Amino acid sequence: MRGPVVLRGEQSRSDSTTDQRLLDSRGPSDWVHTDPWRVMRIQAEFVEGFGALAAVPRAVTVFGSARTKPDHPQYALGQRIGAALAQEGFAVITGGGPGTMEAANRGAKEAGGMSIGLGIELPFEQGINQYVDLGINFRYFFARKTMFLKYSQAFVCLPGGFGTLDELFEALTLVQTKKVTKFPVVLFGSEYWGGLVDWIRTTVAGNGNVSPPDLDLIHVTDDVDDMVRVVHDAYAAWEAAH
């Protein structure tokens, strides 16, 4: 017996017990990298995230490229979007990194709103940007994704790369399958997103791989006020249902 696990035959042979390994400080440190120990780290990330974000007011997550430079028009747009959401009483959540994420955090902070960054341990993009008031660094993408979804009332996606696309399609899947309630996904920038949306409508929907109502889950816009309206309407609908 090893706790709740039963081992027989060759599987049962061991030179030490769990207590012995726990109390013995000698030997290699490889044990901290084993899968069972990772479960504790994963649990700790969820506990830390839930604890830090429990009191966050209504919020919107803004995604976009970490590669956007401060002098790029997309950076200024991110600031405008962050400020507009803050002025409407929404906290702004981003991935906490540079580029568009920094811009949205900066816009929210400078407008007097709450600026939140949920970072991820990567070989690059290290650290939380300076405009974040509440920041958490995660080891695991799936723990971080849960926080984005649990504490946001909407996603706003500016032009971005694989990370932005990953979050976009995960949100759409969870809304489509009703794992989350009404959750608007706003794609900001019709020129950037237009080709993707056209492909979804003509090829994906055209082959019957999504239903016509699924297409309504995506809202494409180039107008900040329109984005705010979509977010407000969805939040009002959510409040009415609760």
Side-chain angles (χ1 to χ4, degrees):
M1 298 290 296
R2 289 187 191 167
V5 179
V6 178
L7 301 172
R8 293 190 173 116
E10 290 294 325
Q11 295 297 318
S12 65
R13 296 184 180 178
S14 176
D15 295 329
S16 62
T17 66
T18 301
D19 283 343
Q20 179 184 343
R21 291 190 296 273
L22 173 65
L23 297 172
D24 189 352
S25 61
R26 297 167 298 172
S29 60
D30 292 348
W31 64 274
V32 301
H33 302 297
T34 61
D35 287 342
W37 181 251
R38 287 192 182 99
V39 171
M40 301 302 294
R41 284 184 168 176
I42 292 166
Q43 178 180 321
E45 290 209 342
F46 279 108
V47 170
E48 191 70 35
F50 291 152
L53 299 171
V56 168
R58 59 183 187 167
V60 174
T61 291
V62 179
F63 290 110
S65 177
R67 306 182 187 196
T68 303
K69 303 300 182 185
D71 59 352
H72 194 282
Q74 290 294 335
Y75 189 97
L77 178 60
Q79 283 185 267
R80 286 180 56 209
I81 288 173
L85 291 168
Q87 289 162 2
E88 294 298 322
F90 289 95
V92 172
I93 303 175
T94 77
T100 303
M101 294 177 281
E102 177 185 290
N105 285 134
R106 180 176 179 177
K109 183 178 181 66
E110 292 179 348
M114 188 172 190
S115 174
I116 301 168
L118 307 182
I120 186 70
E121 185 180 273
L122 293 173
F124 47 90
E125 291 180 33
Q126 292 289 344
I128 298 291
N129 70 67
Q130 62 180 316
Y131 300 103
V132 168
D133 299 313
L134 171 58
I136 308 171
N137 265 315
F138 291 87
R139 284 188 176 95
Y140 301 101
F141 271 108
F142 53 84
R144 179 180 182 238
K145 287 179 178 179
T146 299
M147 303 304 153
F148 283 135
L149 286 158
K150 181 173 176 61
Y151 295 102
S152 296
Q153 274 71 51
F155 277 1
V156 176
C157 297
L158 279 78
F162 287 156
T164 301
L165 292 169
D166 176 49
E167 299 290 356
L168 163 63
F169 283 107
E170 176 144 7
L172 290 173
T173 300
L174 291 171
V175 177
Q176 179 199 45
T177 55
K178 303 190 185 303
K179 296 294 185 181
V180 295
T181 53
K182 179 63 176 176
F183 191 100
V185 178
V186 180
L187 302 184
F188 208 102
S190 58
E191 182 178 354
Y192 188 87
W193 296 109
L196 174 64
V197 174
D198 288 343
W199 175 76
I200 293 172
R201 292 184 183 279
T202 58
T203 303
V204 182
N207 282 276
N209 292 321
V210 296
S211 302
D214 295 333
L215 301 176
D216 297 331
L217 300 177
I218 304 171
H219 184 85
V220 183
T221 188
D222 295 297
D223 184 76
V224 174
D225 291 336
D226 183 48
M227 176 272 298
V228 171
R229 177 191 61 77
V230 171
V231 171
H232 259 305
D233 288 351
Y235 185 74
W238 179 86
E239 278 193 313
H242 292 76

